[in-house]
Amino acid sequence: MRRAVPLAYIARNLWVRRVTTALTAGGMALVIFVFATVLMMTEGIRATLVATGQPDNVVVLRKGSNAEITSTIGREQAGIIESLPGIATDAAGQPLVSREPVVLNSLVKRNGKPGNVTLRGTSATGLALRPQVHIVEGRFFRPGSAEIVVGRAVARGYDGVAPGSTLRFAGRDWTVVGILDAGKTGFDSEIWGDSEQLMQAFRRLAYSSVIFRLAEPSSFEAVRARLEDDPRLTLEAKPEIRFYAEQSEQLANFISILGTALALIFSTGAIVGAAITMFGAVASRVGEIGTLRALGFRREAVLVAFLGESLLLAFVGGVFGLAAASLMQFVDVSTTNFATFSELAFQFRLTPVIGAKAIAFALAMGLIGGFVPAWRAARLKIVDCLRAA
Amino acid sequence: MFLLRLLLKNAFRHRLRTLLTIVGLMVAVCAFGLLRTIVDAWYAGANASSSTRLVVRSATSLTVPLPLAYAERLRAVDGVTAVSWSNWFGGVYVTERNFFPQFAVDGASYLPLYPEFVVADAERTAWLRDRRGVLVGRTLAAKYGWKVGDTVPLRGTIYSGTWNFTIRGIYQGADAGVDQNQMLMHWGYVNEIQRQRFPGRGDSVGVFVVGIRDPNDAALVGQRIDTMFRNSLAETLTETEKAFQLGFVSMSEAILVALQAVSLIVIVIIMAVMANTMAMTARERLAEYATLKALGFPPEFVVKLLFGESLLIAVIGGVLGVLVTLPLASAFANAVGTLFPVFRVAPETIALQLLAALAVGVAAAAWPAWRSSRIDIVDGLRHVA
């Protein structure tokens, strides 16, 4: 008789030992929760920063500096960049180039702790270069004035940053005139003001970066070569998408290494838990195993039955852990990005890949924890079993 | 004596299960200890700070420099005994992965302010004499195999170009809490090159470090400094070195909170595993406990048996966990390298690990013990495991 033990029988066994099942599955759920949350955090940081870049935009920085705050581009260099061929123009025929000074400004968060907010000098062209950014409240700043607009995450996370209020920095008072929504990208964590006004206030002689749009996205290599071969310039150009992706790398890697290490350590605990539960299940059902075998179920069927029980246990734990982790999507978090030294607001992000990975991880724990007990159950001799019962 | 023998026999009746439980506990206790050590390492900078030093930085943010001319004015402030300054150099050694902090400092005034950096007199003089010389920490030198006299090339991210520095001295910390991963170069040299390359820039200072006479006056002196520069071109923010360092810690607060939450979750996981084992033990032995009661043993005896067994397993697991933590922590410190300058398992961490193991042992036995002590003799005898 080559029959498998029915699934209902397997499931009912778990139900009979409810308390033990709940404790074991609970331990696994916690491990999966940690595992999934970490992956979601890494994914959230990546998604936020990658979405910040536009495919046909190019960022120019000083050679060797990886972030805008450490880069400097003089006015004459910016002029040379502006005269490059291949830059897109707007409806009025003006080249789509934005010269931007970037400064970090320390503000007080709602929880009383200081945070570094990126202060970006830009212009109407800078806004046009980022189609994902919209003004949702108030209006854009007037050129040549001490007005600023703040990102949505800044308005939410920091004290006294609302339309109509003033911020004091660089010896001046700046009026907040609007809130910008950047569609959950990095610009949500920034404050924007007029380029020239900020340069004057901070007594800077150089911009931090120059951003322009390519007329033809495929012409990037030609533009880059022209820019980097120019002996007057010590600059480097990067597609905006790659620039922001690189900024997410360090933090995302750190979190994913730390998180994976933790999940692996915990999983040892959960596997041990599963193994104890399954050994217990085998020990208390020796008689039953004997009966099953006597009825004609083969060793393999018994092995599969116990392994199935362990996998089902792990699956239940995995589903609960993942469900708890999916609630984290409603939590807003912000942390300092080491690469830019500034605050970055982001959200936990659950993707199908993460879901699949979490469930696979849970099943792997169940498999490892359940294999030896199931093997032992399958190896028992019928006579011994029946005698023990 | 009889109780102890019974306990030992009971605990190891299911050898495999007990062994697995001990392993689970060991892993969890060890993970808990490691996590706490990581969190401690984050705060190491703040704990090693001196109460007689203030840090003066731009009110805007740390990345905005202050003019060098402030040094003279700071010296004149009442209560200030010494003034020095430093800039974050931010160079890359070979690749970005080899991160370690580098500061361009005014050597002659910096070392007296930091007595915890211990340097041999000859090396100190050699460093002060060589404008391209650097002082490196002992841990850092050991990591890359540097010796006095070696040349270290750094690729500048803030100060562009390639810089070649010569190691003139190796410092060590006066105690275990001192960061031995830093590299100190001469601010004067960096500034001079910067001025040659970019005329009109330079003479800028990242932070001023101010020594004060009386730690109790820290707030007052800080206030005097900030008032002096209010409404000037570069307003300042003065705080104690500890507050300054804690500012860095709070930047990665989200990660720290997550780590602390996770170390609590670890304890919950061990509890689940342990409680599970004890619940199974109690269920299997209901008939036995009923027999003991029928023989005339009071209910407390059964309770003692269960608690004793649970505690015995917990203590074994806890002690093994602590023993495993120590070598693992040093392996981890080697793996992350210079990311955490100070990484050691604190005595409080070990105490907390043992305490956590004990708490788990008690908590795991509570519910089964309560149930078994209340079991009706007849029900218990009828019960088949």
Side-chain angles (χ1 to χ4, degrees):
Chain A
M1 191 161 76
R2 279 185 171 277
R3 285 195 56 189
V5 179
L7 193 68
Y9 172 81
I10 295 170
R12 241 179 252 152
N13 272 322
L14 285 178
W15 184 246
V16 168
R17 303 146 53 84
R18 282 183 290 272
V19 179
T20 301
T21 303
L23 283 172
T24 316
M28 287 189 158
L30 279 171
V31 174
I32 293 304
F33 175 76
V34 172
F35 182 72
T37 312
V38 166
L39 288 182
M40 283 161 66
M41 197 162 170
T42 313
E43 183 61 31
I45 291 168
R46 274 207 185 110
T48 303
L49 281 173
V50 169
T52 307
Q54 289 290 313
D56 45 0
N57 281 2
V58 175
V59 179
V60 184
L61 297 175
R62 196 197 61 205
K63 204 172 232 130
S65 48
N66 303 324
E68 285 178 299
I69 45 159
T70 57
S71 161
T72 47
I73 299 179
R75 284 181 192 273
E76 60 293 6
Q77 293 191 326
I80 298 170
I81 300 170
E82 234 161 60
S83 64
L84 283 174
I87 296 182
T89 51
D90 62 7
Q94 288 295 312
L96 280 168
V97 180
S98 183
R99 310 159 159 211
E100 308 193 329
V102 173
V103 188
L104 292 184
N105 188 20
S106 177
L107 292 179
V108 180
K109 282 194 231 176
R110 284 207 197 275
N111 64 11
K113 301 248 168 74
N116 283 323
V117 181
T118 302
L119 199 59
R120 181 183 298 278
T122 183
S123 58
T125 317
L127 184 65
L129 276 168
R130 286 129 179 158
Q132 76 271 42
V133 180
H134 301 285
I135 298 292
V136 284
E137 216 182 303
R139 55 179 175 79
F140 200 59
F141 61 82
R142 277 194 309 263
S145 67
E147 292 177 343
I148 48 174
V149 290
V150 300
R152 186 169 260 195
V154 178
R156 192 177 50 222
Y158 289 85
D159 237 5
V161 188
S165 64
T166 56
L167 290 181
R168 187 171 173 81
F169 53 83
R172 284 203 210 171
D173 286 317
W174 305 75
T175 314
V176 181
V177 295
I179 291 180
L180 51 87
D181 175 74
K184 293 187 178 149
T185 63
F187 297 125
D188 269 335
S189 309
E190 295 190 353
I191 295 180
W192 287 9
D194 184 81
S195 266
E196 296 305 321
Q197 291 299 313
L198 284 173
M199 297 266 284
Q200 273 180 30
F202 282 101
R203 290 178 173 71
R204 287 186 55 147
L205 301 170
Y207 301 104
S208 300
S209 60
V210 174
I211 289 105
F212 62 82
R213 177 171 301 161
L214 291 166
E216 199 55 61
S218 57
S219 65
F220 172 73
E221 269 311 309
V223 174
R224 188 195 61 85
R226 209 185 156 102
L227 194 80
E228 293 184 7
D229 292 346
D230 194 321
R232 294 169 294 175
L233 306 173
T234 46
L235 304 173
E236 63 186 317
K238 276 180 195 166
E240 205 179 24
I241 290 198
R242 205 177 75 213
F243 170 72
Y244 282 108
E246 280 173 7
Q247 293 203 332
S248 73
E249 237 164 57
Q250 212 185 354
L251 186 61
N253 280 350
F254 173 74
I255 293 177
S256 93
I257 291 174
L258 186 72
T260 314
L262 285 180
L264 283 179
I265 295 177
F266 294 172
S267 67
T268 325
I271 289 171
V272 167
I276 292 173
T277 310
M278 291 314 295
F279 271 123
V282 173
S284 64
R285 286 184 0 225
V286 173
E288 229 173 277
I289 296 168
T291 316
L292 281 173
R293 294 287 312 282
L295 283 174
F297 286 102
R298 285 167 169 267
R299 285 186 196 280
E300 299 90 75
V302 173
L303 180 80
V304 170
F306 277 95
L307 217 48
E309 198 174 316
S310 168
L311 284 174
L312 187 65
L313 184 68
F315 182 74
V316 171
V319 168
F320 274 100
L322 200 58
S326 74
L327 294 179
M328 294 295 286
Q329 286 184 102
F330 301 106
V331 180
D332 289 310
V333 250
S334 78
T335 189
T336 298
N337 187 356
F338 311 143
T340 58
F341 203 56
S342 59
E343 282 280 315
L344 177 73
F346 62 93
Q347 265 138 350
F348 292 93
R349 230 176 113 99
L350 182 61
T351 63
V353 176
I354 293 176
K357 271 189 189 166
I359 295 295
F361 191 67
L363 290 179
M365 286 194 294
L367 191 69
I368 299 171
F371 188 77
V372 179
W375 180 253
R376 180 184 266 194
R379 300 267 300 177
L380 287 172
K381 287 202 178 86
I382 302 179
V383 189
D384 292 346
C385 288
L386 292 176
R387 194 174 289 142
Chain B
M1 216 39 232
F2 161 71
L3 189 65
L4 197 68
R5 270 184 59 198
L6 192 60
L7 272 181
L8 275 170
K9 282 247 155 81
N10 263 343
F12 290 96
R13 183 148 26 150
H14 276 282
R15 232 169 306 147
L16 191 68
R17 181 195 296 168
T18 309
L19 212 69
L20 282 171
T21 315
I22 289 176
V23 169
L25 255 167
M26 196 176 87
V27 169
V29 165
C30 174
F32 173 69
L34 277 180
L35 282 172
R36 262 194 62 92
T37 309
I38 293 176
V39 173
D40 280 353
W42 232 291
Y43 285 95
N47 290 337
S49 59
S50 156
S51 55
T52 57
R53 288 193 294 255
L54 299 182
V55 177
V56 184
R57 63 170 174 93
S58 159
T60 307
S61 79
L62 197 55
T63 54
V64 176
L66 293 171
L68 177 65
Y70 278 17
E72 278 314 313
R73 297 181 61 188
L74 284 171
R75 240 171 241 134
V77 173
D78 189 23
V80 169
T81 54
V83 175
S84 188
W85 56 90
S86 79
N87 281 21
W88 178 256
F89 185 79
V92 174
Y93 176 62
V94 192
T95 71
E96 263 90 356
R97 290 181 65 86
N98 301 331
F99 170 83
F100 54 88
Q102 304 132 14
F103 296 97
V105 302
D106 181 56
S109 59
Y110 196 78
L111 287 181
L113 261 175
Y114 285 85
E116 64 264 42
F117 286 18
V118 182
V119 201
D121 282 339
E123 292 186 351
R124 174 199 298 249
T125 322
W127 175 57
L128 289 175
R129 275 206 196 116
D130 182 3
R131 293 173 62 69
R132 301 171 80 164
V134 287
L135 213 55
V136 296
R138 197 171 57 168
T139 319
L140 185 65
K143 181 173 182 202
Y144 296 112
W146 291 337
K147 300 179 300 297
V148 171
D150 285 1
T151 300
V152 180
L154 293 180
R155 177 161 52 80
T157 57
I158 299 170
Y159 302 97
S160 59
T162 303
W163 300 73
N164 286 305
F165 294 108
T166 317
I167 296 176
R168 287 296 170 212
I170 293 173
Y171 75 82
Q172 41 179 306
D175 61 74
V178 178
D179 181 358
Q180 300 190 108
N181 266 312
Q182 297 183 5
M183 175 185 271
L184 305 177
M185 58 272 286
H186 290 292
W187 182 90
Y189 171 65
V190 173
N191 190 47
E192 183 187 301
I193 303 289
Q194 181 78 348
R195 279 170 69 172
Q196 281 170 15
R197 287 185 190 160
F198 305 98
R201 287 174 58 195
D203 281 351
S204 58
V205 164
V207 295
F208 285 99
V209 185
V210 171
I212 52 172
R213 196 173 300 125
D214 184 357
N216 297 324
D217 286 346
L220 201 64
V221 175
Q223 219 169 30
R224 279 186 207 136
I225 294 173
D226 290 345
T227 319
M228 183 164 74
F229 295 115
R230 184 155 302 148
N231 291 320
S232 71
L233 293 183
E235 297 189 351
T236 59
L237 182 89
T238 308
E239 42 194 4
T240 59
E241 197 180 22
K242 181 157 195 163
F244 178 73
Q245 297 283 2
L246 283 177
F248 283 98
V249 177
S250 76
M251 282 182 189
S252 27
E253 206 187 11
I255 299 174
L256 276 181
V257 169
L259 278 182
Q260 270 155 343
V262 158
S263 54
L264 272 182
I265 291 180
V266 180
I267 300 200
V268 177
I269 294 182
I270 339 174
M271 278 199 183
V273 172
M274 268 297 274
N276 197 354
T277 311
M278 292 320 293
M280 277 162 74
T281 304
R283 193 173 45 231
E284 282 168 13
R285 301 192 194 147
L286 273 185
E288 231 173 280
Y289 295 144
T291 315
L292 282 173
K293 276 179 141 181
L295 286 174
F297 285 100
E300 298 92 72
F301 186 74
V302 172
V303 173
K304 267 189 210 154
L305 265 185
L306 266 165
F307 270 104
E309 187 177 341
S310 176
L311 281 174
L312 187 69
I313 296 177
V315 167
I316 295 177
V319 169
L320 284 178
V322 170
L323 290 182
V324 171
T325 308
L326 300 172
L328 262 182
S330 56
F332 186 82
N334 284 335
V336 295
T338 46
L339 191 60
F340 294 116
V342 178
F343 197 87
R344 66 205 159 99
V345 184
E348 304 94 81
T349 303
I350 295 179
L352 273 175
Q353 279 177 300
L354 292 176
L355 201 69
L358 278 181
V360 165
V362 171
W367 162 248
W370 184 74
R371 261 200 63 195
S372 317
S373 67
R374 285 172 47 107
I375 185 90
D376 192 66
I377 297 179
V378 181
D379 279 351
L381 286 174
R382 199 179 281 147
H383 180 87
V384 183

